[in-house]
Amino acid sequence: MSLSLAAEQPEPPVDAEDGAWLECIECGETFAPFADIRYTCDECDGLLEVRYTDLPSLDEFEGQGVWRYADALPLESGVTTQEGATPLYEVPRLQDDVGVEALRIKHEGMNPTGSFKDRGMTVGVAVAKELGVDRLACASTGNTSAALAAYGSRGGMETLVLLPAGKVAAGKIAQASLHGARILEVDGNFDSCLDIVQELAARGEAYLLNSLNPFRLEGQKTIGLEILEAFRDDYGAFPDRIVLPVGNAGNTSALYKAFRELVQVGDLPLEDVPKLTGVQAEGAAPMVEAIENDADEVRRWDDVETRATAIRIGNPVNAPKALPGIRETDGTAVAVSDDEITDAQRDLAAEGIGVEPASAASVAGLRKLRAEGVVTDDERVACLTTGHLLKDPDAAAAAGSEPQPVPNDTEGVLEHLRE
């Protein structure tokens, strides 16, 4: 496998196009990036990654948002709604309560459609246009469908989304619907939806834009670049650890790739690479199981359940990329209960940061690892929150306070407050 922090910058093959190509992480086979549509290796069905002839350093980037990093992406521009450049919030009370040297919250819910998925879609939809496809498709627990529908609509392309019936938050379905997607509700879970979408893609019926698509992860790696730049500017050092929710493990894979590329150009010393720390819900934790058992691959969980709907996934397709990412960075993975997730959602809300349940898993995981002594008090930590509060308003209402009925006059209101 070619995934290693110590790997040297690769030599371009003859089929490189404008300094970029696709390479299989299992067998090393290479492919021209835009000559044909492919999601996995023709030879061994392994996952693909985008490689580059000349990788830029952090000091070479200019502009703002995802396309600030165009020199580290497969195209110079994309189908964009000004995604990226999301806040890295300070949370002083939560930082003191958890007991770490520094804690920042990278809130990806502040992207245009309310989740990190916009970063991947601005690149993925642009590549789809480069390839000349006219129908886009994804399986989704909600956020992917919202982002794909928005970016597909902006790009003037037909969008098809498959959702597990009755398992997607209303706010996310509303987004996909309003942006004009064709929504198909499948009598099964997310993994069943993805099986169907992969088969549709294999038959040439649609262009797949789940995180199995290597181009989508290129957009998502910009999360890591923004975090590293901000910590360097604010603390004069990179974060010791980045904690993130894990569903299909796309972000874990993408951040690991960003780190490897910066190591190759000499911007990120090996000893300064942040520890990638994945968090899953206890009812959907196949990655945690693999890490705890030191397994080489993830065992598919057919039955998954958690109120954190965005990470209710039992077969993370990016595990072959994410497992090395966690291990090579000396990170770990931890499972948290739904109640711990809700408590963390309230903790973030108390700091004025509104996130959906899956996002709060990162803070819940940090708390658990800090209590267990895995995370030490001298660490500088970034927690990734992946989706906005209003993605799942029902969960927010359930976690919040109940409305209180009062009389229809001022004195009655004051009396109620005194009581």
Side-chain angles (χ1 to χ4, degrees), residues 87-109:
L88 187 69
Y89 291 121
E90 295 181 342
V91 282
R93 294 194 305 276
L94 185 55
Q95 174 182 299
D96 290 344
D97 191 41
V98 173
V100 290
E101 181 177 320
L103 175 59
R104 303 290 287 273
I105 305 298
K106 181 64 168 172
H107 192 7
E108 286 296 293

Side-chain angles (χ1 to χ4, degrees), residues 103 105 116 241-253 255 275-292 301 306 308-314 316 322-323 325-326 331-342 344-345 348 356-370 372 374-375 381-386:
L103 175 59
I105 305 298
F116 74 91
R241 186 182 301 270
I242 298 177
V243 187
L244 64 167
V246 174
N248 243 339
N251 279 336
T252 311
S253 307
L255 266 61
K275 298 177 174 67
L276 284 172
T277 301
V279 185
Q280 294 189 295
E282 288 177 347
M287 281 283 292
V288 176
E289 179 184 67
I291 291 293
E292 290 180 344
W301 288 24
T306 171
T309 56
I311 54 174
R312 189 192 283 145
I313 294 172
L323 286 174
I326 291 172
T332 189
V334 64
V336 293
S337 69
D338 278 3
D339 287 345
E340 289 170 325
I341 288 172
T342 299
Q345 189 181 18
L348 286 163
E356 66 170 319
S359 292
S362 59
V363 172
L366 174 61
R367 274 196 180 280
K368 190 168 187 175
L369 292 172
R370 180 72 186 94
E372 294 173 352
V374 176
V375 175
V381 182
C383 279
L384 185 64
T385 58
T386 47

Side-chain angles (χ1 to χ4, degrees), residues 5 11 14-15 50 54 105 112 127 129 158 160 172 188 209 223 237 241 243 267 319 369 375 390 398 414:
L5 286 168
E11 292 293 327
V14 293
D15 46 14
V50 184
D54 296 308
I105 305 298
V127 169
K129 293 183 78 69
E158 181 185 355
L160 178 68
K172 302 173 186 182
L209 271 169
I223 299 171
R241 186 182 301 270
V243 187
D267 274 5
L369 292 172
V375 175
L390 296 179
L414 289 172

Side-chain angles (χ1 to χ4, degrees), residues 396-398 400-406 416:
S401 57
E402 292 288 337
Q404 302 173 18
V406 296
H416 178 83

